């Protein structure tokens, strides 16, 4: 990856572009992050940097954590994450990475922990169908129902839908657009929804999806039938032109 940063989700809002169109965005307080550790090919077998985010009191860190952070100066960071950046060789321990590393128009992948829903049933957790409230279904119209045979195999196979813990999982949303970047406030506005609650930690990195212009955006049609229809003399629309 070329660039990455750690941040915190602020919330959703809307902004207006030059044409007056409403764009729904999520605001992310991104950085500043400090390079806490640098890994090299000679010593570790690969190139990467470890970024630290979110200042915390020294009393809330363990002695091993303090010893590790002292190598990067007097910084006290609570969150540490490692990234394999393309420019790892140019970064050194103690360098700061701010929100301005991204610019408007970039496409990013955002990773966060989704909202926890607690213990939920099969209808909410998996979208299962409910039973009718007539003809003797009784008070079990939201239950999972029968799950399999009795004698053989006498058990439920793994992966069968059922009630259980829902949410609070690592989720990555791909290919979101960066709409605005405020370098003074270290705020990045991303078009779309970002996983997690307000105040949740998120990681931004440049998108792994390579988007190329297609169809009308490229000035050509991907459908050969549509392309041939424009020059078909038998078409009434072509004769009128």
């Amino acid at each position: 990856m070329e660039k990455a940063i750690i941040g915190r989700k602020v919330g959703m809002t809307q902004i207006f572009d030059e044409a007056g169109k409403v764009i729904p965005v999520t605001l992310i307080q991104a950085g500043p992050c400090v390079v806490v550790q640098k890994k090299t090919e000679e010593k570790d077998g690969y190139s990467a940097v470890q970024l630290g985010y979110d200042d915390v009191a020294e009393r809330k860190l363990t002695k091993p954590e303090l010893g590790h952070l002292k190598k990067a100066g007097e910084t006290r960071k609570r969150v540490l994450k490692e990234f394999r950046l393309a420019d790892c060789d140019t970064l050194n321990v103690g360098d700061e990475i701010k929100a301005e590393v991204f610019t408007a128009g970039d496409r990013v992948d955002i990773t966060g922990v989704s909202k926890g829903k607690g213990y939920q049933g099969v209808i909410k957790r998996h979208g299962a169908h409910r039973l009718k409230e007539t003809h003797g279904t009784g008070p079990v119209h939201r239950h999972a129902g029968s799950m399999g045979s009795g004698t053989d195999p006498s058990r439920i196979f793994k992966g069968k839908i059922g009630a259980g813990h829902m949410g609070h999982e690592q989720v990555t949303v791909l290919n979101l657009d960066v709409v605005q970047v405020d370098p003074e406030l270290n705020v990045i506005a991303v078009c779309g929804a970002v996983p997690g609650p307000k105040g949740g930690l998120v990681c931004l990195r440049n998108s792994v999806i390579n988007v190329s212009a297609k169809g009308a955006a490229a000035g050509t049609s991907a459908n050969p039938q549509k392309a041939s229809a424009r020059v078909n003399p038998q078409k009434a629309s072509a004769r009128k032109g």
Side-chain angles (χ1 to χ4, degrees):
M1 67 186 74
E2 298 177 359
K3 45 193 176 182
I5 198 170
I6 308 171
R8 194 177 293 276
K9 179 179 176 180
V10 178
M12 293 196 70
T13 184
Q14 60 185 19
I15 60 177
F16 296 87
D17 61 5
E18 296 177 354
K21 183 180 178 181
V22 177
I23 303 176
V25 296
T26 302
L27 300 181
I28 299 174
Q29 186 79 37
C33 297
V34 179
V35 178
V36 176
Q37 186 182 22
K38 181 178 179 180
K39 297 191 175 183
T40 60
E41 291 280 353
E42 297 78 13
K43 184 178 179 181
D44 304 288
Y46 65 99
S47 298
V49 290
Q50 188 183 72
L51 302 183
Y53 174 73
D54 195 8
D55 293 328
V56 69
E58 185 175 335
R59 59 183 175 82
K60 295 185 178 180
L61 297 174
T62 62
K63 287 185 178 181
E65 290 173 338
L66 287 172
H68 178 70
L69 292 171
K70 280 183 179 179
K71 299 177 183 178
E74 296 301 323
T75 180
R76 300 289 181 266
K77 300 297 183 181
R78 185 175 66 89
V79 181
L80 301 176
K81 289 188 179 295
E82 186 176 291
F83 300 95
R84 297 191 181 188
L85 303 180
D87 58 345
C88 289
D89 297 334
T90 61
L91 296 174
N92 297 314
V93 175
D95 292 349
E96 274 195 346
I97 296 179
K98 298 183 179 180
E100 57 193 14
V101 69
F102 290 99
T103 57
D106 289 346
R107 293 180 179 269
V108 294
D109 298 340
I110 302 181
T111 302
V113 178
S114 62
K115 292 182 180 180
K117 307 294 184 181
Y119 190 93
Q120 299 297 333
V122 290
I123 293 180
K124 181 172 182 178
R125 192 181 184 207
H126 298 287
H129 198 284
R130 67 193 300 276
L131 299 178
K132 297 183 294 183
E133 292 186 351
T134 58
H135 294 83
T137 56
V140 294
H141 51 275
R142 291 182 66 91
H143 287 203
S146 177
M147 288 250 179
S149 305
T151 303
D152 185 20
S154 299
R155 62 185 177 88
I156 299 175
F157 291 107
K158 287 185 178 180
K160 180 69 176 177
I161 66 171
H165 184 267
M166 181 179 176
H168 196 67
E169 297 176 337
Q170 180 172 297
V171 179
T172 300
V173 180
L174 301 177
N175 206 28
L176 297 180
D177 292 321
V178 176
V179 180
Q180 285 183 0
V181 177
D182 191 336
E184 296 182 1
L185 300 177
N186 281 323
V187 173
I188 299 177
V190 180
C191 179
V194 173
K198 295 179 181 179
L201 289 172
V202 293
C203 296
L204 286 76
R205 68 175 188 271
N206 59 297
S207 182
V208 297
I209 300 178
N210 185 14
V211 178
S212 58
K214 295 181 180 179
T220 59
S221 176
N223 191 336
Q225 294 181 351
K226 290 184 178 179
S228 61
R230 295 192 184 96
V231 295
N232 190 348
Q234 296 179 357
K235 283 279 187 179
S237 58
R239 291 195 299 270
K240 290 180 181 179

